[in-house]
Amino acid sequence: MSEKRMVDKNGMRGGAGISAIVLLVGFVFQWRAVVPAIAVALAIGSLFGLRYSPLGATYRFIKKAFRLSVPLEPEEEPPPRFAQTLGFVVSGIGSLLFIPGWNAAGWALALLVALLQGLLAVTGLCIGCEIYLYVQRFKTREVEAH
Amino acid sequence: MIVRLVVALAVAALSIVLAVLWRRREGRFDEAEGSFTAADLGVVKLDRPSAVLVEFYGEDCAPCVTVQKRIGKIASEVPDVQIVSIDAGARMDVADRHEVRRVPTLFVLDSDLRVIWRASGVPSEDAIRNALLGPNWAGRPAPKTARQQHVRR
């Protein structure tokens, strides 16, 4: 088994909660800039690894500032990183939809990301991670078929 | 502004409702049908235990580690249960046959390898114990040692 980088699942949940709150507050006040900002934050985690994610860094800052005793819960990085990629794609498309003025569609995608991030924050259920595992199984099946 | 606030609260509420629904379903053992073969389990011959606990796990699956720790603890308490762990990625034929759509997925089998219970997600230790030793256990008494331990709890 190849060695894989580990990430803190609670950090991921914390970061997801932060992004959900930011997107919902942005929606209420119609701050469209929060959508590309979250897209960029997700893109950084996706491209460079979750340890560099601004959302994770914000969570760690809050945890340290308020001395929260949330334990580390190690998890392998590939599934949550894939989930961040999906989040980036959806929020990125949402950001692009603002350009021609399709605000409702842009916010709909942003709210979808907020919903899934909120679900991850509350339960730990990572839909993107589940999709990753499905994709991995599908890829393995394809390889075996040939 | 008020409409947007209501929409935002509705999204937050939907997250919580989905979370509650998911938590109620997560790791719950439900009655199931079907059967395994010794070949499915990757063993030539079973030791004829009273129950077989089959765990499908995945290489990148963090919750599987939690389940394995719980199973390991319970295995030390319940000697008459055989534990079989199957890598769902490596044994996709078996996973597909038993419609394993996610990992971890657990099956509790009787001594004839018939499926009694099935759970997806991370069951609590008590849920696993109940599935192995509970009153609905295939209408048969639990193993003596295990039943005594169960009563003490």
Side-chain angles (χ1 to χ4, degrees):
Chain A
M1 189 188 292
S2 60
E3 273 196 31
K4 292 195 175 82
R5 187 177 287 171
M6 305 300 282
V7 293
D8 176 20
K9 182 166 188 179
N10 288 328
M12 207 177 73
R13 290 176 69 172
I18 291 164
S19 63
I21 291 168
V22 168
L23 285 169
L24 289 177
V25 171
F27 170 71
V28 170
F29 293 101
Q30 292 290 287
W31 296 333
R32 281 180 289 183
V34 300
V35 183
I38 292 295
V40 168
L42 293 171
I44 291 170
S46 167
L47 289 172
F48 303 108
L50 297 188
R51 66 173 59 185
Y52 300 108
S53 166
L55 296 169
T58 308
Y59 164 78
R60 288 191 294 276
F61 173 77
I62 292 171
K63 185 180 167 185
K64 196 173 173 184
F66 291 95
R67 295 178 183 174
L68 302 175
S69 57
V70 185
L72 287 173
E73 196 178 330
E75 179 180 35
E76 288 183 343
E77 189 181 36
R81 196 165 168 178
F82 177 80
Q84 293 243 324
T85 308
L86 285 184
F88 157 65
V89 169
V90 176
S91 54
I93 292 171
S95 305
L96 292 174
L97 289 174
F98 289 129
I99 296 172
W102 298 341
N103 293 349
W107 280 119
L109 292 182
L111 290 177
L112 176 66
V113 173
L115 176 69
L116 296 178
Q117 295 281 60
L119 196 60
L120 169 60
V122 176
T123 63
L125 172 62
C126 171
I127 300 291
C129 305
E130 299 286 339
I131 293 171
Y132 174 86
L133 294 172
Y134 269 115
V135 170
Q136 290 301 105
R137 284 189 60 192
F138 181 76
K139 280 165 67 179
T140 311
R141 189 181 288 125
E142 287 289 298
V143 168
E144 282 182 353
H146 293 97
Chain B
M1 174 78 168
I2 290 174
V3 173
R4 289 197 299 269
L5 187 60
V6 169
V7 171
L9 288 174
V11 169
L14 185 59
S15 276
I16 292 168
V17 168
L18 290 174
V20 170
L21 290 174
W22 181 75
R23 280 226 166 128
R24 282 175 62 178
R25 196 168 169 272
E26 171 74 358
R28 190 181 68 191
F29 279 94
D30 292 315
E31 285 186 64
E33 293 181 342
S35 62
F36 281 72
T37 64
D40 285 345
L41 304 180
V43 293
V44 178
K45 182 178 175 297
L46 284 165
D47 302 330
R48 294 299 290 183
S50 287
V52 181
L53 180 61
V54 181
E55 181 225 358
F56 283 89
Y57 67 95
E59 193 184 327
D60 293 319
C61 166
C64 299
V65 178
T66 307
V67 167
Q68 280 158 3
K69 281 181 188 164
R70 290 179 184 173
I71 289 174
K73 187 178 173 192
I74 290 165
S76 63
E77 298 170 8
V78 188
D80 209 14
V81 171
Q82 186 154 343
I83 313 288
V84 178
S85 294
I86 298 176
D87 182 344
R91 297 293 311 275
M92 265 188 301
D93 54 330
V94 182
D96 284 343
R97 200 175 311 132
H98 297 284
E99 297 180 352
V100 174
R101 301 282 172 248
R102 58 180 291 220
V103 286
T105 291
L106 300 180
F107 290 87
V108 176
L109 317 180
D110 66 11
S111 57
D112 294 321
L113 305 185
R114 284 186 302 240
V115 177
I116 309 291
W117 299 109
R118 171 192 179 121
S120 289
V122 184
S124 66
E125 281 182 24
D126 281 344
I128 300 172
R129 273 193 203 93
N130 286 339
L132 291 171
L133 308 169
N136 295 328
W137 166 237
R140 296 182 293 107
K144 193 177 177 187
T145 313
R147 188 173 55 211
Q148 286 168 347
Q149 286 179 347
H150 184 64
V151 168
R152 278 206 301 273
R153 287 178 177 274

